[in-house]
């Protein structure tokens, strides 16, 4: 008996290992084609009636009547489940809107009724089933005041930069009709923030442009109807379109639109325990604090969040949920009687401004605009020109004003500074409410200058603006006011800066600045501010009448006396570090959404009928590649052996020819002379004189 050679026994495992990948792909293709794909294509309603796909309504009626005639003849084999499926298919495919949605988009939102009725009539006669199974709906949003757009006017609607929220609906969809009330609330909440519109599924061209698509290119409504899509600001094409994939509720859609589409900051809720440490203590001193009291605890509307973004550099907003048990606390703390209410907190020590009741968006924005500034404004890089406290600028009274003043309270953030800010606010109120007709009123100079906008009151953070502060506070104790705190002592100071513009000097400055470029001979002293500055520090008591008296004296002297015209280069104000705006979707939520989109894409590929043939083709190509590689590998050793034997034969022939050539040379020529020869051919013997001779 012949034995199997070891090479043949070991070749089978190596072949299997080589063809492992093609075999795996082939098995995967068969599994997809035989098991996964049939689940993605269940029996259609046309198959239930025995009608060809996309058959007409007349074909559906004829098929239904034929089936009904068999049942009337008492065939005895009819089951309630069969009747339910046939009746459902008939009602669906004879309704023009339902048939259109089913044929074009695969929408069948009442399919759950079949399973419910099968359970209900599982043991009863199908004749007891109540028909019709489906209730027809006719939804016309135009009658409710909603704006509808079509493919003809779609492009003309996108003329401004506002974002858009669009609902894709069907006039025969019960879900779309039930969503009408929620859509009305969403439209009201987005008033003034975004545009809105609705698109009916009958506009196939526009729906195909806006809707999601499968890998095959077929329109897909993954979560049914209605479908919500949004265009962010400045977006006018479907490339930047964002789809809503969450729960169809007012809160979920408005929060998604405000967070994902508009990237607005959130406005959080606080309690009476967390309001001070988590909000009031963390708001920068240059911002107004706005507290909104709510009865319902609902999320901040998009208009409130948009206002929080627009007024981010001026105000910080928060919500408080009103509870009756906390009513006495809020009355004692902020004088809030009930909700809804709006509280504006400005400078330290000032009484909060309270607005009771709820108004519309315009009312809310008007209040914010009126109260966005602190009563005593902060002198900063963004406000110096506006306040008239900049030697490079002009007075608030106008370009023609030659002399103006700026009273600045400087100091580090501390309790002492807050007390002085409160005092300066009282000074400002007194100057604003000064009655010139009252003869008993004293010191009208400061009040008149303040009324004419020649005198501005402000405060400066001496730690942040240390260079600016040291420039004006030049004394041995300036470190108690300016720069980083080096001791527990904080001494706020009141300065008055007199600005004066000389027409001749200003003309010379403009003339020199126009001669560009400067020569090396020009002095750096020419690079100074156009307005002259004189600074005086207040050393009196921190009392309102005394400060007003001092301010009036400074204004009188500055206006009447011929003071020196001294110009210098004022240090630049450092931009204030802005509070970071936390807006947009958190990273964790973005990661979850990305995974969900990836999973949905995988499911789309699993339902693609082209995947089976593609995998089968891949298995064949992989098997062919393996066969080609292995055949080349087996042919390579034979070719190498033949090549080496040929090379060896050629080498032998060359060596043989060389030996033959040497033998021929040896026979045809004598060997050259050598010292080993006995007697050279041309040798001559020479006898010496002492030798013997014959």
């Amino acid at each position: 008996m012949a034995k199997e050679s070891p090479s043949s026994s070991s070749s089978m495992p190596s072949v299997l290992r080589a063809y492992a990948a093609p075999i795996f792909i082939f098995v995967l293709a068969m599994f997809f084609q035989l098991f996964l794909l049939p689940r993605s294509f269940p029996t259609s309603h046309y198959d239930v009636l025995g009608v060809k796909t996309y058959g007409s309504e007349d074909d559906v009626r004829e098929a239904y009547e034929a089936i009904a005639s068999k049942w009337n003849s008492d065939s005895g084999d009819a089951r309630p489940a069969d009747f339910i499926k046939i009746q459902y298919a008939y009602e669906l495919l004879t309704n023009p809107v339902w048939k259109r949605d089913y044929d074009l988009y695969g929408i069948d939102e009442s399919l759950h009724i079949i399973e419910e009725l099968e359970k209900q009539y599982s043991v009863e006669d199908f004749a007891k089933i109540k028909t019709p199974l489906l209730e027809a709906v006719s939804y016309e949003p135009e009658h409710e005041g909603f704006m509808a757009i079509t493919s003809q006017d779609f492009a003309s609607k996108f003329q401004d930069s506002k974002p858009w929220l669009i609902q894709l609906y069907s006039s025969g969809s019960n879900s779309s009709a039930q969503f009408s009330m929620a859509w009305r609330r969403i439209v009201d909440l987005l008033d003034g923030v975004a545009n809105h519109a609705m698109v009916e599924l009958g506009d196939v061209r526009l729906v195909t442009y806006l809707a999601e698509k499968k890998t095959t290119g077929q329109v897909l409504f993954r979560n049914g109807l209605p479908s919500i899509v949004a265009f962010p600001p400045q977006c006018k094409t479907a490339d930047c379109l964002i789809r809503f994939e969450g729960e169809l509720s007012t809160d979920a859609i408005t929060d998604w639109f405000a967070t994902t589409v508009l990237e607005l900051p959130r406005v959080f809720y606080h309690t009476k325990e967390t309001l001070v440490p988590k909000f009031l203590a963390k708001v920068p001193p240059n911002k107004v604090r706005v507290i909104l009291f709510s009865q319902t605890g609902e999320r901040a509307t998009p208009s409130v969040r948009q206002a929080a973004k627009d007024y981010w550099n001026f105000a910080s907003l928060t919500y408080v949920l009103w509870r009756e048990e906390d009513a006495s606390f809020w009355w004692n703390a902020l004088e809030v009687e009930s909700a809804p209410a709006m509280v504006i907190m400005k400078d330290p020590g000032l009484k909060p401004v309270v607005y009771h009741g709820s108004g519309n968006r315009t009312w809310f924005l008007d209040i914010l605009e009126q109260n966005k500034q602190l009563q005593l404004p902060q002198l900063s890089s963004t406000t110096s020109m506006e306040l008239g406290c900049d030697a490079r600028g002009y007075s608030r009274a106008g370009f023609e004003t030659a002399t103006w003043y700026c009273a600045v309270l400087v100091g580090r953030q501390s309790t002492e500074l807050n007390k002085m800010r409160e005092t300066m606010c009282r000074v400002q109120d007194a100057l604003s409410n000064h009655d010139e007709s009252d003869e008993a009123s004293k010191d009208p100079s400061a009040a008149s200058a303040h009324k004419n906008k020649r005198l501005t009151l402000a405060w400066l953070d001496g730690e942040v603006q240390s260079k600016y502060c040291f420039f004006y506070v030049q004394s041995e104790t300036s470190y108690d006011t300016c720069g980083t705190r080096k001791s527990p002592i904080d001494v706020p100071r009141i300065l008055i800066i007199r600005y004066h513009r000389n027409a001749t000097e200003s003309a010379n400055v403009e003339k020199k600045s126009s001669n560009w470029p400067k020569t090396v001979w020009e002095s750096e002293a020419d690079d100074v501010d156009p307005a002259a500055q004189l600074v005086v520090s207040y050393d009196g008591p921190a009392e309102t009448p005394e400060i007003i008296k001092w301010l009036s004296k400074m204004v009188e002297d500055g206006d009447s006396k011929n003071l020196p015209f001294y110009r210098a280069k004022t240090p630049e104000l450092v931009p204030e570090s802005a509070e970071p705006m936390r807006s947009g979707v958190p990273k964790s939520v973005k990661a979850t959404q990305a995974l969900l989109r990836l999973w949905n894409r995988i499911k789309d590929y699993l339902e693609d009928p082209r995947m089976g043939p593609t995998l089968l083709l891949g298995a064949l190509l992989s098997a062919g590649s393996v066969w080609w590689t292995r055949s080349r590998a087996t042919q390579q050793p034979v070719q190498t052996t033949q090549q080496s034997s040929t090379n060896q034969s050629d080498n032998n022939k060359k060596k043989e020819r060389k030996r033959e050539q040497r033998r021929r040379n040896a026979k045809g020529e004598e060997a050259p002379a050598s010292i080993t020869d006995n007697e050279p051919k041309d040798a001559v013997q020479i006898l010496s004189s002492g030798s013997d001779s014959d």
Side-chain angles (χ1 to χ4, degrees):
M1 186 176 188
K3 294 183 178 181
E4 185 179 1
S5 63
S7 60
S8 61
S9 62
S10 62
S11 62
M12 183 57 66
S14 64
V15 171
L16 293 177
R17 285 195 299 270
Y19 285 92
I23 294 174
F24 174 76
I25 299 175
F26 177 78
V27 172
L28 188 63
M30 293 298 101
F31 177 77
F32 178 86
Q33 201 70 18
L34 298 178
F35 296 97
L36 294 181
L37 193 59
R39 294 184 179 182
S40 303
F41 292 90
T43 303
S44 68
H45 297 306
Y46 290 100
D47 297 332
V48 172
L49 296 173
V51 181
K52 65 179 181 179
T53 305
Y54 308 130
S56 64
E57 295 181 23
D58 294 336
D59 296 338
V60 172
R61 290 189 178 91
E62 291 178 2
Y64 177 77
E65 292 173 358
I67 296 174
S69 63
K70 293 182 181 179
W71 284 344
N72 293 333
S73 63
D74 193 15
S75 60
D77 58 350
R79 298 183 305 164
D82 296 334
F83 173 77
I84 292 171
K85 293 179 180 179
I86 293 173
Q87 182 67 26
Y88 182 91
Y90 169 72
E91 294 182 14
L92 178 73
L93 297 179
T94 52
N95 185 297
V97 178
W98 292 345
K99 186 177 186 300
R100 178 204 67 189
D101 296 344
Y102 182 73
D103 291 346
L104 295 178
Y105 312 114
I107 296 176
D108 187 6
E109 63 181 18
S110 301
L111 188 61
H112 61 280
I113 293 179
I114 296 179
E115 184 177 355
E116 295 175 358
L117 293 177
E118 286 179 352
K119 293 180 180 179
Q120 182 179 356
Y121 297 98
S122 58
V123 294
E124 298 183 16
D125 186 7
F126 68 85
K128 297 181 180 181
I129 300 176
K130 297 179 181 180
T131 57
L133 304 179
L134 304 177
E135 182 180 357
V137 177
S138 180
Y139 175 48
E140 297 179 358
E142 294 86 354
H143 295 168
E144 301 182 18
F146 298 129
M147 184 178 70
I149 57 176
T150 62
S151 55
Q152 285 75 23
D153 59 359
F154 178 76
S156 61
K157 297 292 183 180
F158 285 75
Q159 298 298 328
D160 56 11
S161 59
K162 268 190 176 182
W164 278 83
L165 183 67
I166 299 177
Q167 178 191 163
L168 304 178
Y169 77 99
S170 173
S171 59
S173 170
N174 188 40
S175 300
S176 299
Q178 293 177 355
F179 186 69
S180 176
M181 295 300 296
W183 184 253
R184 167 60 64 190
R185 176 61 177 163
I186 293 171
V187 169
D188 293 340
L189 292 175
L190 294 179
D191 183 32
V193 178
N195 298 321
H196 57 86
M198 302 180 68
V199 177
E200 214 279 327
L201 296 191
D203 194 337
V204 180
R205 179 182 176 185
L206 185 54
V207 171
T208 304
Y209 179 74
L210 297 176
E212 188 178 3
K213 299 175 184 61
K214 295 183 179 180
T215 56
T216 58
Q218 182 182 0
V219 173
L220 170 66
F221 292 97
R222 194 181 302 276
N223 298 321
L225 292 178
S227 179
I228 307 297
V229 298
F231 287 87
Q234 307 296 337
C235 173
K236 298 183 179 181
T237 63
D239 297 335
C240 48
L241 181 144
I242 303 176
R243 307 183 191 281
F244 177 72
E245 299 177 352
E247 177 188 0
L248 288 174
S249 65
T250 302
D251 180 72
I253 294 176
T254 53
D255 180 62
W256 162 80
F257 190 81
T259 304
T260 305
V261 180
L262 299 179
E263 296 185 350
L264 299 178
R266 294 189 179 277
V267 181
F268 296 99
Y269 273 81
H270 288 286
T271 63
K272 65 179 183 180
E273 293 81 13
T274 62
L275 181 64
V276 173
K278 296 294 183 65
F279 178 70
L280 296 180
K282 293 186 176 181
V283 176
N286 61 320
K287 297 179 68 173
V288 175
R289 299 158 178 82
V290 180
I291 305 174
L292 304 173
F293 285 84
S294 172
Q295 285 182 322
T296 61
E298 64 181 358
R299 201 189 305 268
T301 62
S303 59
V304 172
R305 295 175 66 176
Q306 183 68 54
K309 181 179 180 180
D310 295 340
Y311 289 88
W312 186 262
N313 295 327
F314 303 97
S316 293
L317 281 68
T318 189
Y319 268 98
V320 171
L321 178 61
W322 177 265
R323 293 187 175 92
E324 290 299 331
E325 56 268 24
D326 298 333
S328 60
F329 173 83
W330 295 120
W331 170 253
N332 295 328
L334 302 173
E335 297 186 0
V336 178
E337 297 179 353
S338 61
M342 182 177 179
V343 179
I344 309 292
M345 300 180 67
K346 294 187 176 182
D347 301 73
L350 294 185
K351 184 179 179 180
V353 182
V354 182
Y355 298 88
H356 286 94
S358 59
N360 55 19
R361 176 175 176 269
T362 304
W363 173 83
F364 175 71
L365 294 179
D366 288 343
I367 292 178
L368 280 182
E369 183 64 26
Q370 295 170 7
N371 297 276
K372 70 177 183 179
Q373 296 286 2
L374 297 173
Q375 184 169 343
L376 183 68
Q378 182 186 16
L379 179 59
S380 64
S381 59
T382 57
T383 62
S384 61
M385 289 290 185
E386 180 183 356
L387 296 175
C389 298
D390 196 317
R392 296 181 296 273
Y394 294 87
S395 169
R396 292 189 301 132
F399 294 160
E400 301 299 328
T401 303
T403 305
W404 69 97
Y405 305 87
C406 188
V408 184
L409 170 66
V410 297
R412 288 187 290 261
Q413 293 295 333
S414 61
T415 304
E416 292 78 4
L417 179 65
N418 291 338
K419 292 180 180 179
M420 287 301 299
R421 286 177 61 184
E422 184 178 351
T423 301
M424 292 297 289
C425 287
R426 291 195 296 268
V427 171
Q428 184 168 255
D429 289 339
L431 295 176
S432 300
N433 299 326
H434 175 74
D435 187 4
E436 295 182 355
S437 63
D438 187 3
E439 296 181 357
S441 300
K442 298 180 180 180
D443 304 316
S445 300
S448 177
H450 185 265
K451 180 180 179 181
N452 296 330
K453 297 182 179 181
R454 291 197 310 119
L455 173 62
T456 302
L457 277 66
W459 71 277
L460 178 77
D461 191 330
E463 183 175 3
V464 176
Q465 308 292 347
S466 58
K467 292 184 179 180
Y468 194 89
C469 182
F470 281 122
F471 178 78
Y472 289 107
V473 183
Q474 298 181 5
S475 66
E476 296 179 355
T477 60
S478 60
Y479 284 96
D480 297 339
T481 305
C482 307
T484 305
R485 182 179 286 106
K486 297 182 179 179
S487 65
I489 301 175
D490 289 298
V491 182
R493 300 174 186 270
I494 301 176
L495 309 175
I496 185 168
I497 307 171
R498 175 186 179 270
Y499 299 96
H500 180 72
R501 277 182 175 266
N502 185 292
T504 305
E505 292 291 338
S506 300
N508 293 335
V509 170
E510 293 178 359
K511 182 178 180 180
K512 291 180 180 180
S513 61
S514 62
N515 296 331
W516 186 90
K518 291 184 177 181
T519 66
V520 295
W521 304 107
E522 289 182 310
S523 172
E524 293 182 359
D526 294 335
D527 189 15
V528 294
D529 297 328
Q533 303 178 72
L534 291 178
V535 183
V536 180
S537 177
Y538 175 70
D539 296 328
E543 298 178 1
T544 303
E546 295 297 327
I547 295 175
I548 293 177
K549 183 177 180 181
W550 174 75
L551 290 175
S552 297
K553 176 63 175 175
M554 294 297 102
V555 172
E556 288 179 1
D557 292 345
D559 290 343
S560 61
K561 294 183 179 180
N562 186 17
L563 300 177
F565 189 82
Y566 174 75
R567 295 186 296 120
K569 180 63 177 179
T570 308
E572 296 285 345
L573 286 166
V574 178
E576 299 283 343
S577 57
E579 184 182 6
M581 183 186 297
R582 298 179 178 88
S583 60
V585 183
K587 294 183 179 179
S588 58
V589 177
K590 287 184 178 180
T592 303
Q593 293 175 350
L595 291 176
L596 180 60
R597 287 192 294 268
L598 177 61
W599 173 242
N600 289 334
R601 180 57 61 182
I602 292 175
K603 290 194 298 184
D604 292 342
Y605 278 111
L606 293 178
E607 297 175 359
D608 192 339
R610 300 172 299 179
M611 286 299 297
T614 302
L615 290 174
L616 183 59
L617 178 60
L620 294 176
L621 293 176
S622 179
S625 176
V626 172
W627 174 83
W628 175 257
T629 303
R630 288 175 59 83
S631 63
R632 291 290 303 272
T634 54
Q635 293 176 1
Q636 189 66 25
V638 176
Q639 295 177 356
T640 303
T641 303
Q642 294 177 352
Q643 184 68 25
S644 60
S645 61
T646 303
N647 295 338
Q648 184 66 26
S649 176
D650 294 341
N651 292 335
N652 293 335
K653 290 181 179 180
K654 290 181 179 179
K655 292 180 179 179
E656 184 65 27
R657 284 197 296 269
K658 289 182 179 180
R659 286 196 294 268
E660 182 66 25
Q661 185 67 28
R662 285 197 296 269
R663 284 197 297 268
R664 291 178 180 177
N665 293 338
K667 291 180 180 180
E669 297 181 1
E670 296 181 358
S674 174
I675 59 174
T676 58
D677 294 342
N678 294 329
E679 186 176 356
K681 180 179 180 182
D682 54 349
V684 177
Q685 185 175 2
I686 302 176
L687 298 177
S688 63
S689 59
S691 63
D692 295 338
S693 58
D694 295 335

